[in-house]
Amino acid sequence: MIKSTKIICTISDRRCEPDFIRALFDNGMNIVRMNSAHLGREGMEKIVRNVRSVSDRIAIMVDTKGPEIRTTATVDDSAIHFTAGQKTSFCGAPSQLTSAERINLNYADIANDVRPGDHFLIDDGELDFVVTEVGSDGIILAEACNDGTLGARKTVNIPGCEINLPSVTERDKTSLATATALGVDFVAHSFVRSKEDVEAVQTVLDSLGSDMKIISKIENQQGVDNFDSILEASYGIMVARGDLGIEVAAEKIPVIQTMMIEKCIAAHRPVIVATQMLHSMINNPRPTRAEVSDIANAIYQRADAIMLSGETANGKYPVEAVATMARVAVEVENSLHQNADIIPPLVDEHVTSFLARQAVLSVRQIGVKAILTDARHGRTARFISSFRGINPTYAICYRRKTMRWLALSYGIKAYYYPEYSQSDRYPKKALEEFITSGLLTPESRIAYLGAINGTGATFLEINSVHAILENS
């Protein structure tokens, strides 16, 4: 699939057969996401094993639960119906079952953080309760604001309330240890509120000897308020619009999304737009026009990646959803390219930024067919990606991990060449194989970003493939 925008698919251990994963991959999937809230070690092992059997190019991301509040289980996991005006109470009692009279939460100190007038929004806002009184005994009295049904273990949002849960839970630590052992590439940390939350995850990864890259999920007002420092501490960002849309007024979400994408691009960090992009395709074979427009908007804004959740985890039309997303990406990207979309300006003084932007400009100005760079950690490739060129960037990677890290970056086609090292100066074998496979011809003019020594690009050469091969 010739597209620059990457696609992330959430996969369940109940449906992760190699043939299924291959179908998603063939239709445009670049990254598999696992949700640790619904997976144990055995489930994660199954998914990773099956993904790796399909292709070592597919990156794998694991979500943590983070400082998440949920209701406890109900009796026999049965649903409880509430009507508007009905009185009930909340309590921080993780080991107690929830009933119509007492909704228990997994956060023991909840009474210390809420006050009268706060709202408990349960199950993505399906149920709304307003706090009427907070007792000294830890019992919170509340009233239902609407009719609705409460199931077991549902998420709870409290807009405008600062929750003092630890950033990394014990379950998160267990999930991170499992993901490290399995060689997972990314961790998407939920409910990031500050850079300290990111640093807490990094401390755990360091203790495990893990090189997983941290994607910070922004899904509450604190995350929005502290976005700049969170971005600086993170490898990348996920605009997690589900919980964010509950915590923040819905009309603000498009503005916040645009702001985050622009800042990520300027900082050379990948950004993901997530949640309900093709929600109707969980049950229907065709998307709504509004959903297609939502995908197109994220691509027009130049997000690195767009994500599917329930559509591929448990939907009826998972492959069709990926194919739909890929077709929209190709169509919108072609439109951008034909309209000579403006290349983002240079906003820093990095030599790598300057050379990367010049390489991208050369595609339009002197007919360069592709950009090449070598990649130990992928930094130069990410800088090139941030200028959103119209032709692909081929990243020649020393490690499979680097190849998979770059699966998240816009417009990067990464290839693994373990025998190549920077001392070779030019990726001769890769160029020869690109000619054989038809990606390039000997006459193709390419821009090559390389480094003589040190980190980051130090030179840019523009020449024909033939001339570079002769000179090497």
Side-chain angles (χ1 to χ4, degrees):
M1 176 63 64
I2 304 173
K3 61 178 177 57
S4 294
T5 308
K6 305 303 177 67
I7 295 176
I8 303 170
C9 296
T10 305
I11 300 297
S12 163
D13 60 335
R14 295 187 296 273
R15 183 169 63 180
C16 64
E17 299 79 11
D19 287 347
F20 173 67
I21 293 169
R22 184 173 298 281
L24 299 180
F25 182 52
D26 289 345
N27 280 277
M29 177 186 73
N30 304 98
I31 300 168
V32 162
R33 169 180 171 256
M34 306 184 295
N35 189 346
S36 70
H38 306 295
L39 286 172
R41 183 182 183 92
E42 185 177 340
M44 290 174 64
E45 287 177 342
K46 181 180 178 182
I47 293 173
V48 172
R49 181 174 61 251
N50 290 350
V51 170
R52 295 286 185 251
S53 74
V54 171
S55 174
D56 63 1
R57 302 178 62 82
I58 304 172
I60 301 176
M61 174 187 296
V62 62
D63 264 28
T64 59
K65 291 184 68 175
E68 178 187 63
I69 301 176
R70 283 183 179 267
T71 63
T72 62
T74 60
V75 177
D76 297 327
D77 284 342
S78 58
I80 303 169
H81 185 72
F82 288 90
T83 58
Q86 182 175 339
K87 303 292 194 299
T88 188
S89 63
F90 285 78
C91 184
S95 62
Q96 302 297 314
L97 293 175
T98 285
S99 65
E101 294 74 30
R102 176 73 51 83
I103 299 174
N104 289 306
L105 305 178
N106 66 343
Y107 175 33
D109 296 326
I110 183 65
N112 297 329
D113 294 344
V114 299
R115 59 191 183 278
D118 284 342
H119 285 256
F120 288 104
L121 301 178
I122 301 179
D123 194 12
D124 293 337
E126 292 296 321
L127 266 172
D128 181 3
F129 294 88
V130 61
V131 175
T132 58
E133 182 181 340
V134 181
S136 58
D137 57 356
I139 303 301
I140 303 164
L141 302 182
E143 180 179 315
C145 298
N146 67 302
D147 296 353
T149 301
L150 174 62
R153 304 178 189 87
K154 296 301 181 181
T155 57
V156 179
N157 295 85
I158 312 172
C161 181
E162 293 191 9
I163 301 299
N164 293 313
L165 277 167
S167 175
V168 184
T169 66
E170 291 303 314
R171 181 185 175 94
D172 290 339
K173 292 177 183 178
T174 300
S175 296
L176 290 174
T178 300
T180 297
L182 295 173
V184 170
D185 307 293
F186 299 101
V187 51
H189 190 52
S190 299
F191 299 100
V192 173
R193 301 161 294 188
S194 66
K195 70 174 183 179
E196 287 76 19
D197 286 353
V198 185
E199 291 166 352
V201 179
Q202 189 62 60
T203 297
V204 175
L205 295 180
D206 290 344
S207 71
L208 294 167
S210 172
D211 59 2
M212 276 189 289
K213 302 302 184 184
I214 301 173
I215 307 300
S216 292
K217 295 174 66 177
I218 306 300
E219 41 196 339
N220 54 37
Q221 187 63 54
Q222 286 175 273
V224 175
D225 294 341
N226 298 317
F227 182 74
D228 290 348
S229 58
I230 292 171
L231 175 60
E232 186 176 352
S234 309
Y235 180 87
I237 295 292
M238 182 187 295
V239 188
R241 302 178 303 176
D243 284 285
L244 186 61
I246 300 169
E247 295 265 348
V248 178
E251 64 271 15
K252 295 183 179 181
I253 300 301
V255 178
I256 292 171
Q257 175 176 314
T258 302
M259 176 273 290
M260 289 184 186
I261 292 173
E262 289 176 350
K263 287 189 174 183
C264 287
I265 292 173
H268 314 294
R269 285 168 166 78
V271 56
I272 303 160
V273 175
T275 314
Q276 295 184 335
M277 303 208 82
L278 286 173
H279 188 69
S280 71
M281 290 191 74
I282 292 176
N283 294 306
N284 300 308
R286 293 174 60 84
T288 67
R289 283 179 286 277
E291 289 170 334
V292 171
S293 294
D294 183 37
I295 295 170
N297 186 51
I299 298 168
Y300 276 121
Q301 292 173 339
R302 296 305 184 85
D304 287 85
I306 45 185
M307 194 173 94
L308 295 167
S309 298
E311 299 94 333
T312 49
N314 51 46
K316 295 180 180 178
Y317 302 97
V319 176
E320 293 85 350
V322 176
T324 297
M325 191 170 264
R327 288 196 301 271
V328 175
V330 170
E331 194 70 25
V332 174
E333 289 166 10
N334 286 341
S335 172
L336 288 170
H337 300 164
Q338 291 168 6
N339 293 324
D341 192 44
I342 298 173
I343 294 171
L346 189 67
V347 296
D348 56 48
E349 296 181 356
H350 287 294
V351 171
T352 302
S353 287
F354 175 78
L355 294 175
R357 190 170 190 272
Q358 295 306 119
V360 172
L361 283 169
S362 72
V363 173
R364 293 191 183 280
Q365 295 178 352
I366 58 174
V368 164
K369 297 300 182 185
I371 302 171
L372 265 73
T373 188
D374 54 329
R376 186 173 297 279
H377 299 289
R379 178 175 178 268
T380 297
R382 291 196 306 275
F383 274 58
I384 299 169
S385 169
S386 67
F387 292 106
R388 303 307 197 241
I390 62 175
N391 281 353
T393 293
Y394 299 129
I396 313 306
C397 303
Y398 309 110
R399 300 187 299 162
R400 286 192 173 90
K401 263 293 180 73
T402 303
M403 177 178 67
R404 293 195 289 265
W405 289 335
L406 292 173
L408 186 56
S409 294
Y410 184 96
I412 303 295
K413 312 296 182 187
Y415 298 88
Y416 174 54
Y417 283 89
E419 70 280 8
Y420 171 61
S421 68
Q422 283 181 308
S423 60
D424 296 333
R425 179 139 183 182
Y426 295 103
K428 182 177 180 180
K429 182 177 180 181
L431 287 172
E432 291 171 342
E433 291 187 359
F434 289 169
I435 292 173
T436 301
S437 64
L439 290 175
L440 297 171
T441 68
E443 294 73 31
S444 295
R445 181 180 286 177
I446 64 170
Y448 176 67
L449 269 75
I452 297 174
N453 287 302
T455 302
T458 57
F459 71 88
L460 168 63
E461 176 174 347
I462 298 175
N463 213 330
S464 69
V465 175
H466 173 73
I468 288 177
L469 288 173
E470 278 200 339
N471 293 334
S472 67

